[in-house]
């Protein structure tokens, strides 16, 4: 096979930061300096090209507009490269991975997001291994030339995870991410062990179809003991709001307060899509399991099944950008588009 070609896209994040000697704060520095810190890349049997956000951003500033920019960058160069590695800050990496998984339909090439908990210039950095292994995964192909992992993924601390199944679990551990409701796609030790039965298989004979439009008229709120009626009613009555991700207890339970159920019924009558996501990191929403969950189902709330919050909110943005009809959005929230929920 010909030498693989990988595009390395630097958006910003801790991996490419330097410590300001005056303030002690981490600040982005030039991408070329980042590459100079990893001379091992010159030994790679892969052709690596680079693209840099200018200026680099803190991942807290990530937005749907920048997701659209990323989709344009990948789409415009899709025929030229065999895989893509996106260097990204950890805080919103799972949101970006989820969004890209929906926006790049029938993806036939790897898009691997990675970053680090320590800047790549520090002695104990985790950035080098994350970067090097991500490039190896993005360039890996079967004997027939098709990509080994043709989906949007996150690689971190030895594990390759489906992007729309992944959540940041630690602010300071090297194992910053985990895929609680879906097993790893690959594990990197002395060798990279690919679990091919878990990897999504697109239709390689058909083109990748990008979507550039997102509708971010969605809000997330968490239920808690003592949650106030006036605040929830105010949120759900927000003008132009099309959908709500409601984080509930356990397997999808909520207080049986008459005001909450009536508010949710009113929202459903107006066409607002309310999606039930558990506050638990692991497990599935089962609204028929307890009466409290059944009451939500009767009020018109949609089950988010075993979706992450990140996947639920970006899936709603994607569907709302594609369909004006909220009933169609409601229907598709219960279907798996790219492996984001178990059905």
């Amino acid at each position: 096979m010909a030498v693989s070609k990988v595009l390395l896209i630097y958006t910003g994040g801790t991996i490419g930061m330097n410590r300001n000697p005056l303030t002690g704060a981490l600040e982005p520095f030039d991408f070329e300096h980042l590459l100079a810190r990893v001379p091992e890349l010159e030994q790679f049997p892969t052709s690596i090209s680079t693209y840099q956000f200018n200026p680099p951003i803190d991942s807290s500033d990530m937005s749907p507009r920048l997701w659209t920019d990323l989709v344009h960058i990948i789409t415009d160069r899709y025929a030229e490269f065999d895989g893509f590695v996106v260097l990204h800050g950890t805080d919103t990496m799972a949101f970006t991975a989820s969004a890209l998984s929906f926006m790049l339909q029938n993806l036939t090439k790897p898009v691997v997001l990675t970053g680090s908990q320590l800047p790549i210039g520090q002695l104990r950095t985790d950035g080098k291994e994350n970067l090097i292994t991500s490039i190896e995964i993005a360039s890996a192909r079967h004997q027939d030339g098709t990509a080994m992992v043709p989906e949007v993924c996150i690689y971190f601390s030895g594990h390759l995870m489906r992007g729309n199944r992944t959540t940041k679990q630690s602010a300071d551990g090297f194992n910053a991410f985990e895929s609680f409701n879906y097993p790893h796609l690959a594990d990197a030790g002395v060798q990279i062990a690919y679990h091919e039965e878990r990897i999504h298989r697109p239709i390689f004979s058909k083109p990748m179809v990008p979507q550039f439009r997102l509708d971010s008229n969605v809000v997330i709120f968490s239920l808690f003991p003592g949650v106030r009626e006036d605040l929830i009613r105010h949120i759900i009555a927000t003008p132009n709001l099309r959908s709500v991700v409601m984080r509930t207890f356990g397997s999808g339970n909520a207080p049986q307060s008459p005001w909450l159920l009536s508010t949710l019924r009113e929202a459903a009558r107006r066409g607002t899509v309310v999606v039930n996501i558990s506050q638990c990191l692991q497990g599935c929403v089962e609204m028929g399991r307890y009466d409290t969950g059944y009451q939500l189902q009767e009020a018109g709330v949609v089950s988010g099944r075993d979706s992450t919050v990140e996947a639920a909110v970006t899936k709603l943005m994607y569907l709302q950008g594609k369909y004006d009809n909220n009933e169609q959005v409601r229907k598709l929230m219960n279907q798996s588009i790219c492996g984001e929920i178990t059905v």
Side-chain angles (χ1 to χ4, degrees):
M1 288 188 290
V3 172
S4 293
K5 297 177 69 177
V6 171
L7 180 63
L8 185 59
I9 304 169
Y10 176 58
T11 67
T14 299
I15 193 168
M17 288 187 172
N18 218 355
R19 196 169 295 281
N20 185 309
L22 297 177
T23 66
L26 292 174
E27 298 175 344
F29 68 109
D30 188 79
F31 190 40
E32 295 305 318
H33 287 119
L34 184 151
L35 296 178
R37 301 279 191 178
V38 196
E40 294 90 342
L41 293 180
E42 296 180 6
Q43 303 173 34
F44 242 96
T46 299
S47 173
I48 303 171
S49 300
T50 61
Y51 185 98
Q52 178 180 359
F53 272 28
N54 188 20
I57 64 159
D58 185 290
S59 72
S60 298
D61 291 322
M62 188 52 72
S63 67
R65 179 185 63 80
L66 292 173
W67 292 335
T68 300
D69 289 347
L70 273 171
V71 171
H72 276 293
I73 292 165
I74 292 168
T75 301
D76 292 348
R77 296 159 180 81
Y78 196 72
E80 185 181 347
F81 293 95
D82 299 297
F84 303 84
V85 173
V86 181
L87 297 181
H88 195 291
T90 58
D91 286 349
T92 58
M93 187 184 293
F95 283 98
T96 296
S98 296
L100 293 182
S101 74
F102 299 119
M103 298 172 77
L104 299 167
Q105 287 295 298
N106 198 50
L107 184 65
T108 57
K109 300 179 180 183
V111 175
V112 184
L113 282 79
T114 194
S116 68
Q117 295 286 64
L118 285 175
I120 209 160
Q122 292 193 13
L123 285 175
R124 294 184 55 251
T125 184
D126 54 327
K128 280 191 179 183
E129 194 278 323
N130 286 347
L131 173 58
I132 290 169
T133 306
S134 293
I135 292 172
E136 185 170 347
I137 290 168
S139 62
R141 290 181 283 171
H142 293 284
Q143 285 298 315
D144 64 1
T146 58
M148 192 77 76
V149 190
E151 57 176 290
V152 179
C153 315
I154 289 178
Y155 177 78
F156 232 88
S157 191
H159 304 304
L160 183 71
M161 296 155 280
R162 177 167 291 166
N164 58 35
R165 290 287 195 147
T166 310
T167 293
K168 185 175 181 180
Q169 67 168 353
S170 175
D172 50 16
F174 284 156
N175 59 334
F177 291 91
E178 188 51 89
S179 173
F180 292 98
N181 286 326
Y182 196 80
H184 299 158
L185 304 182
D187 294 290
V190 175
Q191 303 289 334
I192 300 176
Y194 293 96
H195 309 297
E196 295 198 43
E197 71 282 2
R198 304 169 185 169
I199 297 171
H200 179 69
R201 308 309 298 175
I203 303 173
F204 286 101
S205 60
K206 292 189 176 181
M208 186 272 289
V209 181
Q211 178 170 314
F212 302 108
R213 185 169 179 265
L214 297 173
D215 181 344
S216 58
N217 284 305
V218 55
V219 71
I220 305 170
F221 69 78
S222 294
L223 296 177
F224 57 91
V227 63
R228 282 175 48 179
E229 175 181 356
D230 57 335
L231 296 180
I232 298 301
R233 286 192 180 278
H234 182 74
I235 290 169
I236 291 183
T238 302
N240 302 317
L241 182 67
R242 291 188 63 184
S243 59
V244 174
V245 174
M246 182 174 66
R247 302 183 67 235
T248 56
F249 309 127
S251 57
N253 303 309
Q256 295 191 65
S257 306
W259 68 261
L260 178 61
L261 295 173
S262 68
T263 301
L264 295 173
R265 288 192 192 96
E266 289 169 19
R269 280 196 295 269
R270 289 198 302 269
T272 305
V273 180
V274 181
V275 181
N276 186 351
I277 299 290
S278 175
Q279 295 178 26
C280 299
L281 291 173
Q282 193 164 18
C284 181
V285 166
E286 299 178 73
M287 291 196 291
R289 187 173 179 182
Y290 297 103
D291 185 57
T292 51
Y294 180 77
Q295 295 292 333
L296 295 179
Q297 185 174 300
E298 288 294 292
V301 174
V302 178
S303 173
R305 299 179 182 262
D306 57 352
S307 174
T308 64
V309 171
E310 295 92 337
V313 71
T314 53
K315 183 177 181 179
L316 284 165
M317 290 183 186
Y318 162 77
L319 292 174
Q320 290 171 178
K322 191 171 183 178
Y323 302 103
D324 292 328
N325 184 349
N326 273 17
E327 194 53 43
Q328 181 73 358
V329 173
R330 178 189 300 275
K331 178 182 176 183
L332 290 173
M333 284 303 293
N334 270 317
Q335 297 180 21
S336 176
I337 295 175
C338 46
E340 73 283 357
I341 57 174
T342 304
V343 293

